[in-house]
Amino acid sequence: MPKKPPKKTALPCAPQMGGRAIITIIGSDRVGIIAGIAGVLAEANVNILDISQSVIREFFTMIMMVDLAGSAISFHELSGRLAGKGAELAVRVEIQREEIFKAMHRV
Amino acid sequence: MRQLTFSGEEILETINMVRTEQLDIRTVTVGISLLDCVSDSCDRLCRNVYAKVERTARDLRRVSAEISQEFGLPIINNRIAVTPISLIAGRSDRQDLLRIAATLDRAAHAVNVDFIGGFSAQVEKGMTAADASLLAAIPEALAATRRVCASVNVGSTRAGLNMDAIAEMGRIIKRTGELTGAESSIGCAKLVVFCNAVEDNPFMAGAFHGPSEAECAVNVGVSGPGVVLRAIKAAGDVDFGTLASIVRRTAFKITRAGELVGRTAAARLGLPFGIVDLSLAPTPAEGDSVARILEEIGLDSVGAHGSTAALALLNDAVKKGGAMASSHVGGLSGAFIPLSEDAGMIEAAEKGFVTIDKLEAMTAVCSVGLDMIAVPGDTPAETIAAIIADEAAIGMINKKTTAVRLIPAVGKGIGDWVDFGGLLGRAPVIPVNRRSSGRLIARGGRIPSPLQALIN
């Protein structure tokens, strides 16, 4: 008997490679933050899809949506480089896959 | 074109839940069937068990760490649940069972998980020879291993209560406490007595991979008392309808995060996804406490009159929110009130504001039972058995899971402390009723299943 292909599921699950991620930068505003973070991303061949910045709950916050599809390095490596750059710039940088926000904030 | 589909508020809410409110995935538990490991030789059985656990779970830690980083969501524990060992023990005697326990311990060590559950038997109706051997091996197995957890189901709504097994468990808990007396009787923290045990519970020490389960499954337990606490604090003195709605919405978000982690872990491990357990599981960290939620609902201290009502509301609202968030909810799915693992509970017990009797009442409306409660070391085995019988009766009549995890702390009396460290926490020894239940326990036999069992 031929094996049935697995059924498609629409339920959320994050891919191993690629996908999109959200980078959050929290701290006080200063010259060179976007340039510094964008430099790390460019070096890793990660495309920035969108950037927004605002003051939320008294924190200066920058949020970037990035595309990991062309990334030359692993998520782990990228996360480490961003954290390193953040420490250099005295801001907190987090990168998280977009799925976590979709799961928690979109029905 | 604008690509950013989330507001800054939403993104920061998620980040704050993790950073300041201790949101985490409490456990990713891989359930593994050992039914195909059966052999007429104990040597071969142990080899099969070790090989299967190692093969199935070898990537668990790596995958968990990856997912945790990618979602920015800590995964606290990775665990394994196996088929109740009494079902694969065959003709094994007590010595063989000790070897199987040692094998499970080694396998858990090999894949670097802190606990492996399933040194278990289901004896609600009666005991097979294998069940009896397993029960006899429990105290030594728990004393000789670090990672093995044991559980015994002694009652169910369909079968009633096996009072002989309950009497035996009183003695086994005492013996386990004595054998691990040098370490605050920690063996007892790895031993749960159930009524209406569930087969897909991801939480230790009561996790096992039931016989109705598939070959393997990835089950997830979420956490989040801190997130619920912050949400209701922010709302202030709202009425109960509003309060329930806030808890429901918060539980929905937490559960969605749990389901995402579970599905992603399952996909990357190449195993089927099982369930999300909705339980609000506290930790000893301040702010990560179910007791504090009850106090925020309006109690001076947990244990005050009204605690049961507040817990009922909390538990129900968590279920309603969680059930909408996941296609497969299972496990215990309710608020936990373990004494030693909850900062608010510890404080209330220390001051004498919460008693074992009030805790028993509270377990009628939540999962799971009298959990991680230290009692005086000289508590008689019959009294421990009677506490189990009371708790199991609540489960049997109300068609719910109840459990008992008591620690008769050797050499310690009321007001002394036991300290297990880490997630198991610390607790003051609290009093139990000193009147004897000896005649009740000595009767033997079974308490018949209730009318609730006759539902066909």
Side-chain angles (χ1 to χ4, degrees), chain A residues 11-12 14-15 20 50 57 75-76 79 94 96-97 103-106, chain B residues 3-5 9-10 14 16 19 69-71 253 256 263-264 268:
Chain A
L11 293 164
R20 301 197 298 186
D50 198 353
R57 301 182 196 171
F75 193 100
H76 176 75
S79 173
E94 310 220 17
Q96 290 160 281
R97 283 193 178 277
M104 291 178 81
H105 301 289
R106 294 289 175 272
Chain B
Q3 305 253 6
L4 203 54
T5 41
E9 280 283 347
E10 288 170 334
T14 297
N16 280 334
R19 289 259 168 186
Q69 180 172 48
E70 290 176 28
F71 294 146
K253 289 178 186 173
R256 291 272 288 196
R263 287 191 180 282
T264 307
R268 292 191 188 177

PDB file of all heavy atoms in Angstrom, chain A residues 11-12 14-15 20 50 57 75-76 79 94 96-97 103-106, chain B residues 3-5 9-10 14 16 19 69-71 253 256 263-264 268:
ATOM      1  N   LEU A  11      -1.499  24.696  11.776  1.00  0.00           N
ATOM      2  CA  LEU A  11      -1.197  25.135  13.138  1.00  0.00           C
ATOM      3  C   LEU A  11       0.228  25.669  13.215  1.00  0.00           C
ATOM      4  O   LEU A  11       1.100  25.232  12.471  1.00  0.00           O
ATOM      5  CB  LEU A  11      -1.404  23.973  14.099  1.00  0.00           C
ATOM      6  CG  LEU A  11      -2.873  23.577  14.189  1.00  0.00           C
ATOM      7  CD1 LEU A  11      -3.031  22.212  14.805  1.00  0.00           C
ATOM      8  CD2 LEU A  11      -3.646  24.614  14.976  1.00  0.00           C
ATOM      9  N   PRO A  12       0.454  26.623  14.094  1.00  0.00           N
ATOM     10  CA  PRO A  12       1.731  27.323  14.103  1.00  0.00           C
ATOM     11  C   PRO A  12       2.917  26.444  14.491  1.00  0.00           C
ATOM     12  O   PRO A  12       2.789  25.544  15.304  1.00  0.00           O
ATOM     13  CB  PRO A  12       1.527  28.404  15.173  1.00  0.00           C
ATOM     14  CG  PRO A  12       0.451  27.885  16.046  1.00  0.00           C
ATOM     15  CD  PRO A  12      -0.436  27.075  15.162  1.00  0.00           C
ATOM     16  N   ALA A  14       7.511  26.936  14.022  1.00  0.00           N
ATOM     17  CA  ALA A  14       8.536  27.785  13.410  1.00  0.00           C
ATOM     18  C   ALA A  14       9.505  26.948  12.583  1.00  0.00           C
ATOM     19  O   ALA A  14       9.832  25.836  12.962  1.00  0.00           O
ATOM     20  CB  ALA A  14       9.295  28.530  14.486  1.00  0.00           C
ATOM     21  N   PRO A  15       9.971  27.493  11.441  1.00  0.00           N
ATOM     22  CA  PRO A  15      10.901  26.735  10.607  1.00  0.00           C
ATOM     23  C   PRO A  15      12.288  26.672  11.246  1.00  0.00           C
ATOM     24  O   PRO A  15      12.620  27.498  12.096  1.00  0.00           O
ATOM     25  CB  PRO A  15      10.945  27.554   9.323  1.00  0.00           C
ATOM     26  CG  PRO A  15      10.661  28.948   9.756  1.00  0.00           C
ATOM     27  CD  PRO A  15       9.717  28.839  10.904  1.00  0.00           C
ATOM     28  N   ARG A  20      11.135  34.978   9.430  1.00  0.00           N
ATOM     29  CA  ARG A  20      11.362  36.376   9.784  1.00  0.00           C
ATOM     30  C   ARG A  20      11.533  36.515  11.299  1.00  0.00           C
ATOM     31  O   ARG A  20      11.060  35.682  12.059  1.00  0.00           O
ATOM     32  CB  ARG A  20      10.183  37.227   9.314  1.00  0.00           C
ATOM     33  CG  ARG A  20       9.978  37.118   7.801  1.00  0.00           C
ATOM     34  CD  ARG A  20       9.123  38.221   7.262  1.00  0.00           C
ATOM     35  NE  ARG A  20       7.782  38.222   7.817  1.00  0.00           N
ATOM     36  CZ  ARG A  20       6.823  39.042   7.386  1.00  0.00           C
ATOM     37  NH1 ARG A  20       7.074  39.902   6.415  1.00  0.00           N
ATOM     38  NH2 ARG A  20       5.623  39.005   7.931  1.00  0.00           N
ATOM     39  N   ASP A  50      11.642  46.342   7.777  1.00  0.00           N
ATOM     40  CA  ASP A  50      10.930  47.503   8.313  1.00  0.00           C
ATOM     41  C   ASP A  50      11.602  47.942   9.616  1.00  0.00           C
ATOM     42  O   ASP A  50      12.144  47.112  10.338  1.00  0.00           O
ATOM     43  CB  ASP A  50       9.466  47.108   8.592  1.00  0.00           C
ATOM     44  CG  ASP A  50       8.569  48.319   8.734  1.00  0.00           C
ATOM     45  OD1 ASP A  50       9.090  49.459   8.749  1.00  0.00           O
ATOM     46  OD2 ASP A  50       7.345  48.139   8.829  1.00  0.00           O
ATOM     47  N   ARG A  57       6.429  53.208  27.189  1.00  0.00           N
ATOM     48  CA  ARG A  57       6.619  53.043  28.642  1.00  0.00           C
ATOM     49  C   ARG A  57       7.968  53.643  29.077  1.00  0.00           C
ATOM     50  O   ARG A  57       8.771  52.976  29.733  1.00  0.00           O
ATOM     51  CB  ARG A  57       6.558  51.584  29.052  1.00  0.00           C
ATOM     52  CG  ARG A  57       5.239  50.911  28.706  1.00  0.00           C
ATOM     53  CD  ARG A  57       5.260  49.487  29.194  1.00  0.00           C
ATOM     54  NE  ARG A  57       4.194  48.721  28.567  1.00  0.00           N
ATOM     55  CZ  ARG A  57       4.064  47.409  28.664  1.00  0.00           C
ATOM     56  NH1 ARG A  57       4.930  46.718  29.361  1.00  0.00           N
ATOM     57  NH2 ARG A  57       3.076  46.790  28.078  1.00  0.00           N
ATOM     58  N   PHE A  75      21.129  31.289  13.515  1.00  0.00           N
ATOM     59  CA  PHE A  75      20.391  32.172  14.411  1.00  0.00           C
ATOM     60  C   PHE A  75      21.215  32.427  15.674  1.00  0.00           C
ATOM     61  O   PHE A  75      21.315  33.541  16.167  1.00  0.00           O
ATOM     62  CB  PHE A  75      19.043  31.517  14.769  1.00  0.00           C
ATOM     63  CG  PHE A  75      18.075  32.447  15.438  1.00  0.00           C
ATOM     64  CD1 PHE A  75      17.048  33.038  14.715  1.00  0.00           C
ATOM     65  CD2 PHE A  75      18.190  32.742  16.787  1.00  0.00           C
ATOM     66  CE1 PHE A  75      16.159  33.905  15.328  1.00  0.00           C
ATOM     67  CE2 PHE A  75      17.306  33.613  17.404  1.00  0.00           C
ATOM     68  CZ  PHE A  75      16.284  34.194  16.681  1.00  0.00           C
ATOM     69  N   HIS A  76      21.798  31.359  16.173  1.00  0.00           N
ATOM     70  CA  HIS A  76      22.597  31.428  17.394  1.00  0.00           C
ATOM     71  C   HIS A  76      23.737  32.437  17.256  1.00  0.00           C
ATOM     72  O   HIS A  76      23.956  33.286  18.113  1.00  0.00           O
ATOM     73  CB  HIS A  76      23.133  30.025  17.690  1.00  0.00           C
ATOM     74  CG  HIS A  76      24.051  29.965  18.868  1.00  0.00           C
ATOM     75  ND1 HIS A  76      23.586  30.042  20.164  1.00  0.00           N
ATOM     76  CD2 HIS A  76      25.399  29.852  18.948  1.00  0.00           C
ATOM     77  CE1 HIS A  76      24.614  29.972  20.990  1.00  0.00           C
ATOM     78  NE2 HIS A  76      25.722  29.859  20.292  1.00  0.00           N
ATOM     79  N   SER A  79      22.393  36.010  16.923  1.00  0.00           N
ATOM     80  CA  SER A  79      21.947  36.488  18.230  1.00  0.00           C
ATOM     81  C   SER A  79      23.145  36.938  19.081  1.00  0.00           C
ATOM     82  O   SER A  79      23.109  37.983  19.740  1.00  0.00           O
ATOM     83  CB  SER A  79      21.167  35.361  18.907  1.00  0.00           C
ATOM     84  OG  SER A  79      20.856  35.693  20.204  1.00  0.00           O
ATOM     85  N   GLU A  94      17.471  42.370  21.454  1.00  0.00           N
ATOM     86  CA  GLU A  94      16.937  41.001  21.456  1.00  0.00           C
ATOM     87  C   GLU A  94      16.484  40.658  20.053  1.00  0.00           C
ATOM     88  O   GLU A  94      15.957  41.508  19.337  1.00  0.00           O
ATOM     89  CB  GLU A  94      15.710  40.901  22.359  1.00  0.00           C
ATOM     90  CG  GLU A  94      15.939  41.475  23.719  1.00  0.00           C
ATOM     91  CD  GLU A  94      15.301  40.626  24.803  1.00  0.00           C
ATOM     92  OE1 GLU A  94      14.973  39.456  24.533  1.00  0.00           O
ATOM     93  OE2 GLU A  94      15.151  41.147  25.908  1.00  0.00           O
ATOM     94  N   GLN A  96      14.068  37.771  18.175  1.00  0.00           N
ATOM     95  CA  GLN A  96      13.137  36.661  18.398  1.00  0.00           C
ATOM     96  C   GLN A  96      12.410  36.365  17.100  1.00  0.00           C
ATOM     97  O   GLN A  96      12.052  37.286  16.358  1.00  0.00           O
ATOM     98  CB  GLN A  96      12.089  37.060  19.467  1.00  0.00           C
ATOM     99  CG  GLN A  96      12.651  37.179  20.861  1.00  0.00           C
ATOM    100  CD  GLN A  96      11.753  38.018  21.754  1.00  0.00           C
ATOM    101  OE1 GLN A  96      11.773  39.240  21.696  1.00  0.00           O
ATOM    102  NE2 GLN A  96      10.955  37.357  22.578  1.00  0.00           N
ATOM    103  N   ARG A  97      12.161  35.100  16.865  1.00  0.00           N
ATOM    104  CA  ARG A  97      11.376  34.752  15.682  1.00  0.00           C
ATOM    105  C   ARG A  97       9.990  35.372  15.766  1.00  0.00           C
ATOM    106  O   ARG A  97       9.407  35.456  16.840  1.00  0.00           O
ATOM    107  CB  ARG A  97      11.239  33.230  15.573  1.00  0.00           C
ATOM    108  CG  ARG A  97      12.482  32.561  15.059  1.00  0.00           C
ATOM    109  CD  ARG A  97      12.192  31.128  14.682  1.00  0.00           C
ATOM    110  NE  ARG A  97      13.378  30.512  14.140  1.00  0.00           N
ATOM    111  CZ  ARG A  97      13.770  30.642  12.866  1.00  0.00           C
ATOM    112  NH1 ARG A  97      13.040  31.357  12.027  1.00  0.00           N
ATOM    113  NH2 ARG A  97      14.865  30.070  12.454  1.00  0.00           N
ATOM    114  N   ALA A 103       1.829  34.088  17.718  1.00  0.00           N
ATOM    115  CA  ALA A 103       1.108  33.150  18.574  1.00  0.00           C
ATOM    116  C   ALA A 103       0.430  33.880  19.730  1.00  0.00           C
ATOM    117  O   ALA A 103      -0.712  33.598  20.076  1.00  0.00           O
ATOM    118  CB  ALA A 103       2.061  32.082  19.118  1.00  0.00           C
ATOM    119  N   MET A 104       1.148  34.835  20.311  1.00  0.00           N
ATOM    120  CA  MET A 104       0.610  35.456  21.521  1.00  0.00           C
ATOM    121  C   MET A 104      -0.360  36.598  21.251  1.00  0.00           C
ATOM    122  O   MET A 104      -1.205  36.884  22.089  1.00  0.00           O
ATOM    123  CB  MET A 104       1.755  35.957  22.405  1.00  0.00           C
ATOM    124  CG  MET A 104       2.546  34.811  23.007  1.00  0.00           C
ATOM    125  SD  MET A 104       3.923  35.342  24.006  1.00  0.00           S
ATOM    126  CE  MET A 104       3.117  35.742  25.542  1.00  0.00           C
ATOM    127  N   HIS A 105      -0.233  37.243  20.111  1.00  0.00           N
ATOM    128  CA  HIS A 105      -1.032  38.453  19.924  1.00  0.00           C
ATOM    129  C   HIS A 105      -1.993  38.414  18.738  1.00  0.00           C
ATOM    130  O   HIS A 105      -2.700  39.368  18.505  1.00  0.00           O
ATOM    131  CB  HIS A 105      -0.104  39.675  19.790  1.00  0.00           C
ATOM    132  CG  HIS A 105       0.771  39.866  20.979  1.00  0.00           C
ATOM    133  ND1 HIS A 105       0.287  40.293  22.194  1.00  0.00           N
ATOM    134  CD2 HIS A 105       2.090  39.640  21.175  1.00  0.00           C
ATOM    135  CE1 HIS A 105       1.279  40.348  23.077  1.00  0.00           C
ATOM    136  NE2 HIS A 105       2.381  39.952  22.479  1.00  0.00           N
ATOM    137  N   ARG A 106      -1.979  37.343  17.983  1.00  0.00           N
ATOM    138  CA  ARG A 106      -2.912  37.256  16.857  1.00  0.00           C
ATOM    139  C   ARG A 106      -3.714  35.969  16.961  1.00  0.00           C
ATOM    140  O   ARG A 106      -3.141  34.900  17.198  1.00  0.00           O
ATOM    141  CB  ARG A 106      -2.153  37.251  15.522  1.00  0.00           C
ATOM    142  CG  ARG A 106      -1.416  38.541  15.222  1.00  0.00           C
ATOM    143  CD  ARG A 106      -2.378  39.684  14.890  1.00  0.00           C
ATOM    144  NE  ARG A 106      -1.642  40.930  14.718  1.00  0.00           N
ATOM    145  CZ  ARG A 106      -1.342  41.772  15.717  1.00  0.00           C
ATOM    146  NH1 ARG A 106      -1.721  41.505  16.943  1.00  0.00           N
ATOM    147  NH2 ARG A 106      -0.672  42.879  15.474  1.00  0.00           N
TER     148      ARG A 106
ATOM    149  N   GLN B   3       5.760  46.364   6.795  1.00  0.00           N
ATOM    150  CA  GLN B   3       5.849  44.931   7.043  1.00  0.00           C
ATOM    151  C   GLN B   3       5.633  44.575   8.514  1.00  0.00           C
ATOM    152  O   GLN B   3       5.330  43.444   8.848  1.00  0.00           O
ATOM    153  CB  GLN B   3       7.260  44.437   6.658  1.00  0.00           C
ATOM    154  CG  GLN B   3       7.638  44.775   5.248  1.00  0.00           C
ATOM    155  CD  GLN B   3       7.611  43.555   4.364  1.00  0.00           C
ATOM    156  OE1 GLN B   3       7.214  42.489   4.783  1.00  0.00           O
ATOM    157  NE2 GLN B   3       8.025  43.714   3.125  1.00  0.00           N
ATOM    158  N   LEU B   4       5.866  45.575   9.359  1.00  0.00           N
ATOM    159  CA  LEU B   4       5.819  45.302  10.793  1.00  0.00           C
ATOM    160  C   LEU B   4       4.367  45.098  11.220  1.00  0.00           C
ATOM    161  O   LEU B   4       3.586  46.028  11.200  1.00  0.00           O
ATOM    162  CB  LEU B   4       6.440  46.487  11.536  1.00  0.00           C
ATOM    163  CG  LEU B   4       6.982  46.229  12.919  1.00  0.00           C
ATOM    164  CD1 LEU B   4       7.978  45.094  12.918  1.00  0.00           C
ATOM    165  CD2 LEU B   4       7.647  47.480  13.447  1.00  0.00           C
ATOM    166  N   THR B   5       4.028  43.873  11.592  1.00  0.00           N
ATOM    167  CA  THR B   5       2.632  43.571  11.835  1.00  0.00           C
ATOM    168  C   THR B   5       2.264  43.590  13.318  1.00  0.00           C
ATOM    169  O   THR B   5       1.152  43.280  13.680  1.00  0.00           O
ATOM    170  CB  THR B   5       2.277  42.207  11.232  1.00  0.00           C
ATOM    171  OG1 THR B   5       3.365  41.330  11.514  1.00  0.00           O
ATOM    172  CG2 THR B   5       2.067  42.290   9.755  1.00  0.00           C
ATOM    173  N   GLU B   9       3.854  48.023  21.618  1.00  0.00           N
ATOM    174  CA  GLU B   9       3.253  47.602  22.891  1.00  0.00           C
ATOM    175  C   GLU B   9       3.206  46.081  22.983  1.00  0.00           C
ATOM    176  O   GLU B   9       3.525  45.498  24.012  1.00  0.00           O
ATOM    177  CB  GLU B   9       1.819  48.150  22.997  1.00  0.00           C
ATOM    178  CG  GLU B   9       1.733  49.600  23.411  1.00  0.00           C
ATOM    179  CD  GLU B   9       1.976  49.795  24.913  1.00  0.00           C
ATOM    180  OE1 GLU B   9       1.959  48.793  25.647  1.00  0.00           O
ATOM    181  OE2 GLU B   9       2.206  50.952  25.309  1.00  0.00           O
ATOM    182  N   GLU B  10       2.789  45.459  21.889  1.00  0.00           N
ATOM    183  CA  GLU B  10       2.655  43.992  21.901  1.00  0.00           C
ATOM    184  C   GLU B  10       4.016  43.322  22.056  1.00  0.00           C
ATOM    185  O   GLU B  10       4.176  42.365  22.809  1.00  0.00           O
ATOM    186  CB  GLU B  10       1.978  43.519  20.606  1.00  0.00           C
ATOM    187  CG  GLU B  10       0.509  43.860  20.560  1.00  0.00           C
ATOM    188  CD  GLU B  10      -0.130  43.617  19.198  1.00  0.00           C
ATOM    189  OE1 GLU B  10       0.578  43.663  18.168  1.00  0.00           O
ATOM    190  OE2 GLU B  10      -1.335  43.385  19.170  1.00  0.00           O
ATOM    191  N   THR B  14       5.365  41.014  25.426  1.00  0.00           N
ATOM    192  CA  THR B  14       5.960  39.671  25.422  1.00  0.00           C
ATOM    193  C   THR B  14       7.323  39.690  26.101  1.00  0.00           C
ATOM    194  O   THR B  14       7.637  38.824  26.922  1.00  0.00           O
ATOM    195  CB  THR B  14       6.092  39.165  23.970  1.00  0.00           C
ATOM    196  OG1 THR B  14       4.777  39.050  23.434  1.00  0.00           O
ATOM    197  CG2 THR B  14       6.789  37.835  23.904  1.00  0.00           C
ATOM    198  N   ASN B  16       8.485  41.793  28.298  1.00  0.00           N
ATOM    199  CA  ASN B  16       8.359  42.012  29.744  1.00  0.00           C
ATOM    200  C   ASN B  16       7.850  40.778  30.479  1.00  0.00           C
ATOM    201  O   ASN B  16       8.223  40.525  31.614  1.00  0.00           O
ATOM    202  CB  ASN B  16       7.437  43.195  30.035  1.00  0.00           C
ATOM    203  CG  ASN B  16       8.176  44.499  29.859  1.00  0.00           C
ATOM    204  OD1 ASN B  16       9.402  44.560  30.004  1.00  0.00           O
ATOM    205  ND2 ASN B  16       7.463  45.556  29.521  1.00  0.00           N
ATOM    206  N   ARG B  19      11.030  38.893  30.907  1.00  0.00           N
ATOM    207  CA  ARG B  19      12.080  39.565  31.679  1.00  0.00           C
ATOM    208  C   ARG B  19      11.693  39.807  33.132  1.00  0.00           C
ATOM    209  O   ARG B  19      12.496  39.642  34.030  1.00  0.00           O
ATOM    210  CB  ARG B  19      12.389  40.928  31.040  1.00  0.00           C
ATOM    211  CG  ARG B  19      13.104  40.798  29.741  1.00  0.00           C
ATOM    212  CD  ARG B  19      14.562  41.047  29.941  1.00  0.00           C
ATOM    213  NE  ARG B  19      15.290  40.636  28.754  1.00  0.00           N
ATOM    214  CZ  ARG B  19      16.602  40.638  28.680  1.00  0.00           C
ATOM    215  NH1 ARG B  19      17.312  41.020  29.714  1.00  0.00           N
ATOM    216  NH2 ARG B  19      17.196  40.254  27.581  1.00  0.00           N
ATOM    217  N   GLN B  69      16.218  30.090  22.554  1.00  0.00           N
ATOM    218  CA  GLN B  69      16.904  31.284  22.063  1.00  0.00           C
ATOM    219  C   GLN B  69      16.124  31.973  20.947  1.00  0.00           C
ATOM    220  O   GLN B  69      15.984  33.186  20.926  1.00  0.00           O
ATOM    221  CB  GLN B  69      18.300  30.913  21.568  1.00  0.00           C
ATOM    222  CG  GLN B  69      19.060  32.129  21.056  1.00  0.00           C
ATOM    223  CD  GLN B  69      20.503  31.828  20.751  1.00  0.00           C
ATOM    224  OE1 GLN B  69      20.814  30.847  20.092  1.00  0.00           O
ATOM    225  NE2 GLN B  69      21.395  32.665  21.247  1.00  0.00           N
ATOM    226  N   GLU B  70      15.587  31.173  20.036  1.00  0.00           N
ATOM    227  CA  GLU B  70      14.924  31.772  18.878  1.00  0.00           C
ATOM    228  C   GLU B  70      13.638  32.509  19.253  1.00  0.00           C
ATOM    229  O   GLU B  70      13.271  33.491  18.634  1.00  0.00           O
ATOM    230  CB  GLU B  70      14.642  30.702  17.821  1.00  0.00           C
ATOM    231  CG  GLU B  70      15.930  30.216  17.181  1.00  0.00           C
ATOM    232  CD  GLU B  70      15.719  29.093  16.192  1.00  0.00           C
ATOM    233  OE1 GLU B  70      14.626  29.016  15.595  1.00  0.00           O
ATOM    234  OE2 GLU B  70      16.644  28.278  16.020  1.00  0.00           O
ATOM    235  N   PHE B  71      12.929  32.023  20.267  1.00  0.00           N
ATOM    236  CA  PHE B  71      11.697  32.697  20.687  1.00  0.00           C
ATOM    237  C   PHE B  71      11.940  33.672  21.837  1.00  0.00           C
ATOM    238  O   PHE B  71      11.032  34.383  22.248  1.00  0.00           O
ATOM    239  CB  PHE B  71      10.642  31.675  21.106  1.00  0.00           C
ATOM    240  CG  PHE B  71      10.153  30.821  19.972  1.00  0.00           C
ATOM    241  CD1 PHE B  71       9.807  29.497  20.182  1.00  0.00           C
ATOM    242  CD2 PHE B  71      10.032  31.339  18.699  1.00  0.00           C
ATOM    243  CE1 PHE B  71       9.362  28.712  19.139  1.00  0.00           C
ATOM    244  CE2 PHE B  71       9.588  30.554  17.649  1.00  0.00           C
ATOM    245  CZ  PHE B  71       9.248  29.239  17.869  1.00  0.00           C
ATOM    246  N   LYS B 253      -2.765  33.823  26.023  1.00  0.00           N
ATOM    247  CA  LYS B 253      -1.455  34.176  25.454  1.00  0.00           C
ATOM    248  C   LYS B 253      -0.378  33.189  25.896  1.00  0.00           C
ATOM    249  O   LYS B 253       0.444  32.740  25.094  1.00  0.00           O
ATOM    250  CB  LYS B 253      -1.067  35.593  25.885  1.00  0.00           C
ATOM    251  CG  LYS B 253      -1.907  36.655  25.219  1.00  0.00           C
ATOM    252  CD  LYS B 253      -1.524  38.039  25.709  1.00  0.00           C
ATOM    253  CE  LYS B 253      -2.486  39.073  25.129  1.00  0.00           C
ATOM    254  NZ  LYS B 253      -2.268  40.394  25.699  1.00  0.00           N
ATOM    255  N   ARG B 256      -0.803  29.892  24.069  1.00  0.00           N
ATOM    256  CA  ARG B 256      -0.387  29.956  22.657  1.00  0.00           C
ATOM    257  C   ARG B 256       1.131  29.854  22.535  1.00  0.00           C
ATOM    258  O   ARG B 256       1.645  29.198  21.631  1.00  0.00           O
ATOM    259  CB  ARG B 256      -0.872  31.266  22.027  1.00  0.00           C
ATOM    260  CG  ARG B 256      -2.363  31.319  21.866  1.00  0.00           C
ATOM    261  CD  ARG B 256      -2.811  30.733  20.569  1.00  0.00           C
ATOM    262  NE  ARG B 256      -2.458  31.618  19.483  1.00  0.00           N
ATOM    263  CZ  ARG B 256      -2.972  31.533  18.269  1.00  0.00           C
ATOM    264  NH1 ARG B 256      -3.861  30.598  17.994  1.00  0.00           N
ATOM    265  NH2 ARG B 256      -2.594  32.358  17.332  1.00  0.00           N
ATOM    266  N   ARG B 263       4.903  22.490  19.395  1.00  0.00           N
ATOM    267  CA  ARG B 263       4.855  22.066  17.985  1.00  0.00           C
ATOM    268  C   ARG B 263       6.215  22.195  17.312  1.00  0.00           C
ATOM    269  O   ARG B 263       6.607  21.343  16.517  1.00  0.00           O
ATOM    270  CB  ARG B 263       3.827  22.895  17.212  1.00  0.00           C
ATOM    271  CG  ARG B 263       2.431  22.539  17.561  1.00  0.00           C
ATOM    272  CD  ARG B 263       1.404  23.144  16.634  1.00  0.00           C
ATOM    273  NE  ARG B 263       0.093  22.729  17.091  1.00  0.00           N
ATOM    274  CZ  ARG B 263      -0.418  21.534  16.857  1.00  0.00           C
ATOM    275  NH1 ARG B 263       0.245  20.661  16.142  1.00  0.00           N
ATOM    276  NH2 ARG B 263      -1.592  21.201  17.351  1.00  0.00           N
ATOM    277  N   THR B 264       6.911  23.262  17.628  1.00  0.00           N
ATOM    278  CA  THR B 264       8.218  23.455  17.018  1.00  0.00           C
ATOM    279  C   THR B 264       9.199  22.385  17.511  1.00  0.00           C
ATOM    280  O   THR B 264       9.948  21.802  16.723  1.00  0.00           O
ATOM    281  CB  THR B 264       8.742  24.871  17.322  1.00  0.00           C
ATOM    282  OG1 THR B 264       7.741  25.818  16.931  1.00  0.00           O
ATOM    283  CG2 THR B 264      10.024  25.165  16.589  1.00  0.00           C
ATOM    284  N   ARG B 268      11.035  19.528  15.177  1.00  0.00           N
ATOM    285  CA  ARG B 268      12.500  19.432  15.077  1.00  0.00           C
ATOM    286  C   ARG B 268      13.035  18.116  15.634  1.00  0.00           C
ATOM    287  O   ARG B 268      14.115  17.680  15.255  1.00  0.00           O
ATOM    288  CB  ARG B 268      13.145  20.622  15.792  1.00  0.00           C
ATOM    289  CG  ARG B 268      12.861  21.926  15.045  1.00  0.00           C
ATOM    290  CD  ARG B 268      13.688  23.065  15.572  1.00  0.00           C
ATOM    291  NE  ARG B 268      13.244  24.313  14.969  1.00  0.00           N
ATOM    292  CZ  ARG B 268      13.739  25.488  15.267  1.00  0.00           C
ATOM    293  NH1 ARG B 268      14.700  25.580  16.164  1.00  0.00           N
ATOM    294  NH2 ARG B 268      13.285  26.583  14.685  1.00  0.00           N
TER     295      ARG B 268
END
